[in-house]
Amino acid sequence: MDDPESTEYPENYELVFQAPAVEDDVVVVHRTEQSGAGGYPIYEDETGIVRAEISADGEVRMMASGGHQAPDVPLAVRSVQH
């Protein structure tokens, strides 16, 4: 298991979601100063609606950003090099 305190995390990830009848939906999220329940950084998109805790191994735990939200789990997670 990763030690969240000693691991370097990417600044950005692409979360790839399956979209019905169209190309996959790609959302870019950036690292925040917050950590989730697992101790890993929380990433969010520019709107703050898409939020996810992402481990150094690329394991994703989607987080609701509002009431009655049930976020889908992405098909893929890719670190973004800028």
Side-chain angles (χ1 to χ4, degrees):
M1 185 165 164
D2 299 326
D3 177 7
E5 297 297 319
S6 66
T7 305
E8 287 291 322
Y9 293 92
E11 287 295 318
N12 300 289
Y13 278 101
E14 290 180 337
L15 303 180
V16 182
F17 297 92
Q18 186 174 8
V22 295
E23 290 185 34
D24 292 338
D25 187 19
V26 178
V27 178
V28 176
V29 293
H30 61 274
R31 191 174 66 199
T32 68
E33 297 296 319
Q34 301 171 324
S35 296
Y40 303 110
I42 294 176
Y43 290 77
E44 64 182 29
D45 71 342
E46 290 181 8
T47 67
I49 294 172
V50 177
R51 294 175 46 90
E53 179 181 8
I54 305 175
S55 77
D57 293 332
E59 297 171 334
V60 178
R61 184 174 67 89
M62 297 303 295
M63 305 174 71
S65 60
H68 305 289
Q69 187 182 29
D72 290 331
V73 176
L75 296 173
V77 179
R78 302 183 290 238
S79 64
V80 178
Q81 305 298 322
H82 287 282

